[in-house]
Amino acid sequence: MEAGMNVLHDVGIQATHYLQQNYQSSQSWFLFISFAADLRNTFFILFPIWFHLCEAVGVKLIWVAVIGDWLNLVFKWILFGQRPYWWVRETSYYGNASTPVIQQFPLTCETGPGSPSGHAMGSAGVYYVMVTALLSIALGKKQPTIKDWFLRTALWAGFWAVQVCVCLSRVFIAAHFPHQVIAGVISGMAVAEAFRHVPAIYSASLRRYLGTNLVLFSFALGFYLLLKALGVDLLWTLEKAKRWCDQPEWVHIDTTPFAGLLRNVGILFGLGLALNSPMYRESCKGKMGQQLSFRLSCIAASLFLLHLFDSFKPPAKVELLFYVLSFCKSAAVPVAAAGLIPYCVAQVLSQQDKKAL
């Protein structure tokens, strides 16, 4: 088994070495793709846009992103996947032969296990939701025409172009092996497809959101404590990241497994609060919610304010404080985008309508 994995890892190292040697001029593009594929952009950019254009798609984006990332965490804890940037420096596979030189970047040194790729899984799930939503809106259930076929082909071609870019980006920066990004894409699509058959998410009560959060957090924490009691350290990768990363400042606490877990339960908790709040019912579900000007104003205000809010970085020196503030920050995103901001926009627009009269 180990010999087979060493061969698979060597193939990945050779792929990374090839990309870095032959596509060094595309470094900025690969780094941008890795940055753009982070789920944070789903929460801070894609969610407010889709939520106010088509609420059901925005809700599904959150559920697919959160559950997909949670499953990614569990898979990583089970599979114990290596990452290229530390494996190539630890392995004895090359013996006396020269070890390939792998360059590192500011986005390379993630601290969790490598398989499957979280970026690839999240990107595949999120873009799968958006493509299927666009096709459903544009085509509906009518008899397909040649124009419909071209639209379907173009959207799916775009989907796969994005996935290829994300996968190449993660391999280029030595964050993942090729088999890990492929597994991520397949897993992300599977999660998104599964949620096409779960209509209950669109009418979930606050109790349902709280219960789901409790299950996600309790299972992950219980799994961690159980394996730790059995002598298995699920945070084994943190030491490797600190040891083999070229620059200590490239090792970020927000890439640790528990940081991702708290971000996800925070987002889902915040969405539950927002969708069951009086602010949401008075604005998005009122007469104002049907107006295009209201929706566009909500999108613009949400993107602007969430961009400012994202600039707040919880202090990382005290780990517990960082986790608590990360949860609160994540919960505040959907509360603001789906509750507070629409309510304020509705109040402003209604005042303007009264003045016009």
Side-chain angles (χ1 to χ4, degrees), residues 136-298:
S136 177
I137 293 170
L139 306 183
K141 296 182 179 180
K142 65 181 181 179
Q143 195 71 19
T145 64
I146 295 179
K147 289 183 179 179
D148 295 339
W149 182 86
F150 276 116
L151 176 63
R152 187 184 301 273
T153 302
L155 287 176
W156 283 117
F159 169 84
W160 285 111
V162 170
Q163 304 320 310
V164 169
C165 287
V166 172
C167 291
L168 290 176
S169 167
R170 303 305 288 168
V171 173
F172 177 88
I173 69 173
H176 289 289
F177 293 101
H179 68 278
Q180 296 173 342
V181 294
I182 292 172
V185 171
I186 295 173
S187 302
M189 292 177 64
V191 172
E193 177 60 28
F195 270 94
R196 295 182 69 182
H197 310 284
V198 187
I201 61 174
Y202 306 116
S203 57
S205 64
L206 181 57
R207 179 178 296 182
R208 175 70 61 85
Y209 277 95
L210 293 175
T212 303
N213 263 347
L214 183 61
V215 170
L216 296 180
F217 183 77
S218 299
F219 183 90
L221 182 61
F223 188 57
Y224 169 77
L225 294 175
L226 174 63
L227 291 186
K228 188 173 183 180
L230 296 175
V232 180
D233 182 15
L234 292 178
L235 301 181
W236 59 278
T237 55
L238 185 58
E239 184 274 330
K240 290 182 181 292
K242 292 178 178 178
R243 180 179 180 185
W244 295 114
C245 190
D246 287 343
Q247 302 291 336
E249 61 270 21
W250 291 352
V251 180
H252 301 291
I253 189 175
D254 61 354
T255 65
T256 60
F258 279 109
L261 175 63
L262 288 170
R263 177 187 65 183
N264 290 329
V265 296
I267 286 286
L268 200 59
F269 174 68
L271 181 63
L273 282 180
L275 296 183
N276 291 277
S277 68
M279 292 186 297
Y280 164 77
R281 288 191 293 270
E282 291 181 24
S283 55
C284 297
K285 288 302 182 183
K287 293 182 180 180
M288 191 72 70
Q290 305 300 318
Q291 301 177 13
L292 181 61
S293 59
F294 167 77
R295 296 185 180 190
L296 294 178
S297 298
C298 287

Side-chain angles (χ1 to χ4, degrees), residues 115-130:
S115 188
S117 166
H119 279 69
M121 189 170 177
S123 172
V126 165
Y127 278 85
Y128 190 94
V129 169
M130 292 192 293

Side-chain angles (χ1 to χ4, degrees), residues 38-40 43 66 69-70 72-73 76-77 110-113 217 220-221 224 234-235 238 251-268 314-316 318-331:
D38 193 293
L39 279 181
R40 181 175 64 250
F43 302 138
V66 167
D69 205 43
W70 180 83
N72 181 263
L73 168 66
K76 283 180 174 178
W77 277 351
E110 297 200 2
T111 57
F217 183 77
L221 182 61
Y224 169 77
L234 292 178
L235 301 181
L238 185 58
V251 180
H252 301 291
I253 189 175
D254 61 354
T255 65
T256 60
F258 279 109
L261 175 63
L262 288 170
R263 177 187 65 183
N264 290 329
V265 296
I267 286 286
L268 200 59
V318 181
E319 204 165 328
L320 180 59
L321 177 62
F322 174 85
Y323 289 144
V324 171
L325 292 179
S326 293
F327 173 85
C328 295
K329 177 182 177 181
S330 298

Side-chain angles (χ1 to χ4, degrees), residues 92-131:
S92 58
Y93 175 78
Y94 297 102
N96 295 326
S98 59
T99 302
V101 178
I102 299 299
Q103 185 180 355
Q104 295 182 14
F105 304 92
L107 299 179
T108 296
C109 303
E110 297 200 2
T111 57
S115 188
S117 166
H119 279 69
M121 189 170 177
S123 172
V126 165
Y127 278 85
Y128 190 94
V129 169
M130 292 192 293
V131 167

